[in-house]
Amino acid sequence: MTEGLTAVFARLIAATGPISIAHYMAEANARYYGSRDPLGAAGDFVTAPEISQMFGELIGLWLADLWQRAGRPEGACYVELGPGRGTLARDALRAARRGGLCPEVHFVETSPALKALQEAAHPGAVWHHDLSGLPTDKPLLIVANEFLDALPVRQLVRTASGWRERMVGLDADGAFLPVAGTRPMDAAVPERFATAAEGAIVEASPAAATIVQEVAGRLAAQGGAALLIDYGYAEPQLGSTLQAVRAHRKVDVFAAPGEADLTAHVDFATLGEVAEQAGARWLGTSTQGHWLAALGIGARAGSLARAAPQAAEAIEAATIRLTAPAEMGALFKVMGLAAPGWPDGAGLHRVI
Ligand code: SAH
């Protein structure tokens, strides 16, 4: 058995001093996702495509609709970042085909455990470790659900002597705890937060920004569109959103690195700006509840329930879970991007 990450980090910190939150999160999640299928009732968390086929179907219809209105360009590729079990792709591609869109399928995935599940569901797909290997000469229709939240965040904390990077150190008992780094980081703090009170935390995900920049650059160069769906906030805010989930419960972020899912909320305002600077059109950011309603989840739920009356209650419950503001409907956001010259996306006109 490989050595636990707790022991590896403890040795590293004892030998060379605290490590950054970003380092801690990146290594913990690489270990976590690389070694298991975390999804489903028996795992650690449940995602929207695992709740109902309607989620992936409406994404597939959104893509097919946009592609049709863009003039049905040849050779379009379906690209999914972090496809999990491949469930979203299965439902989206089935719906897209009904709309005349039969794309090549490309997956960006680093986890061997999840790749094995995806291979079983999508034997014809092509896998990539990052975006660099994706085709460069065809329009890309890119989807990412609960992908950006798993990418590492960097945190800066305001101390009595200025801004410092938030790090992970060891206390006297050998447990991990957050500490302030020694190097001044004032220059890295956005101006709007520079005078925040002592103890304030500024969080950012350079990794997510890099991916969105790459996505936007590809759209601008090749044509296409992207749907990025995640929990997050629409306006920049202060505070740590780093959380750990294990067996459907929130647990201490520092308790068991590599054994719990570490995520942070996605800063959609910043990512929209990054995308526009990289040459893409920002089509808008809606709440998941608003977007699914605009795309007709009510009608789809009704037709599924008529076809399978014994499942009507479960279909209704899934619809509520995906759309109600107190469930996933308000916390989750849907951000649309497209190539310049491509049309608007359905359901994204309400900018939040
Ligand atoms: N989109 C799926 C799975 C979400 S879990 C769903 O909605 O059910 C996060 C996914 O992103 C997993 O497939 C995980 O292996 C993948 N992932 C996490 N970090 C990644 C990285 N740095 N590069 C590529 N894939 C990553």
Side-chain angles (χ1 to χ4, degrees):
M1 208 186 128
T2 47
E3 188 183 20
L5 205 50
T6 300
V8 175
F9 278 154
R11 213 174 47 237
L12 180 66
I13 294 168
T16 62
I19 58 174
S20 69
I21 291 275
H23 176 171
Y24 178 86
M25 186 175 176
E27 277 205 43
N29 272 355
R31 174 75 68 107
Y32 175 75
Y33 282 106
S35 58
R36 77 201 73 213
D37 169 14
L39 294 154
D44 291 323
F45 58 95
V46 176
T47 56
E50 304 296 335
I51 292 171
S52 168
Q53 70 188 74
M54 296 185 288
F55 185 76
E57 287 172 349
L58 293 171
I59 289 173
L61 289 176
W62 187 91
L63 294 173
D65 166 60
L66 200 77
W67 170 80
Q68 285 169 9
R69 288 186 289 114
R72 300 174 169 258
E74 297 239 335
C77 299
Y78 175 90
V79 176
E80 194 173 331
L81 314 180
R85 290 176 169 171
T87 309
L88 193 167
R90 186 196 64 204
D91 296 331
L93 290 165
R94 188 178 62 247
R97 275 186 222 110
R98 272 191 245 126
L101 170 63
C102 305
E104 264 177 43
V105 178
H106 293 262
F107 289 147
V108 176
E109 178 59 79
T110 44
S111 160
L114 287 169
K115 185 180 170 207
L117 291 177
Q118 294 156 19
E119 275 171 337
H122 300 275
V126 182
W127 278 265
H128 308 268
H129 263 274
D130 53 44
L131 280 75
S132 64
L134 293 171
T136 54
D137 55 350
K138 301 167 182 168
L140 303 180
L141 302 170
I142 301 173
V143 176
N145 185 62
E146 291 211 37
F147 168 73
L148 296 172
D149 65 50
L151 301 178
V153 289
R154 185 187 69 186
Q155 294 184 340
L156 304 176
V157 58
R158 178 83 193 255
T159 70
S161 41
W163 290 92
R164 299 284 185 270
E165 180 144 13
R166 200 158 178 248
M167 318 283 286
V168 183
L170 285 174
D171 70 11
D173 301 326
F176 299 125
L177 87 169
V179 296
T182 51
R183 262 193 328 135
M185 293 294 284
D186 303 73
V189 176
E191 211 176 303
R192 64 165 84 80
F193 295 135
T195 56
E198 195 176 327
I201 292 172
V202 169
E203 190 175 82
S205 178
T210 302
I211 297 234
V212 168
Q213 190 175 31
E214 210 169 338
V215 163
R218 291 300 202 102
L219 297 182
Q222 298 169 226
L227 266 186
L228 307 175
I229 306 170
D230 231 305
Y231 39 100
Y233 42 95
E235 294 300 328
Q237 63 177 35
L238 281 171
S240 171
T241 69
L242 185 60
Q243 65 174 36
V245 168
R246 189 176 192 182
H248 307 274
R249 282 173 197 282
K250 281 194 188 173
V251 295
D252 181 350
V253 165
F254 301 113
E259 301 301 322
D261 183 37
L262 288 183
T263 60
H265 288 203
V266 172
D267 175 358
F268 280 102
T270 297
L271 295 183
E273 280 171 26
V274 166
E276 286 187 320
Q277 277 162 19
R281 285 187 66 208
W282 174 53
L283 303 178
T285 305
S286 284
T287 61
Q288 178 171 299
H290 172 81
W291 187 74
L292 290 173
L295 288 183
I297 193 170
R300 182 66 185 134
S303 78
L304 284 175
R306 277 190 298 282
Q310 72 287 357
E313 256 179 55
I315 293 165
E316 170 71 8
T319 308
I320 291 171
R321 197 156 163 207
L322 292 173
T323 60
E327 308 256 348
M328 298 173 80
L331 178 59
F332 280 73
K333 312 287 190 293
V334 181
M335 180 166 86
L337 305 174
W342 275 54
D344 285 342
L348 291 175
H349 48 275
R350 192 170 99 175
V351 174
I352 49 167

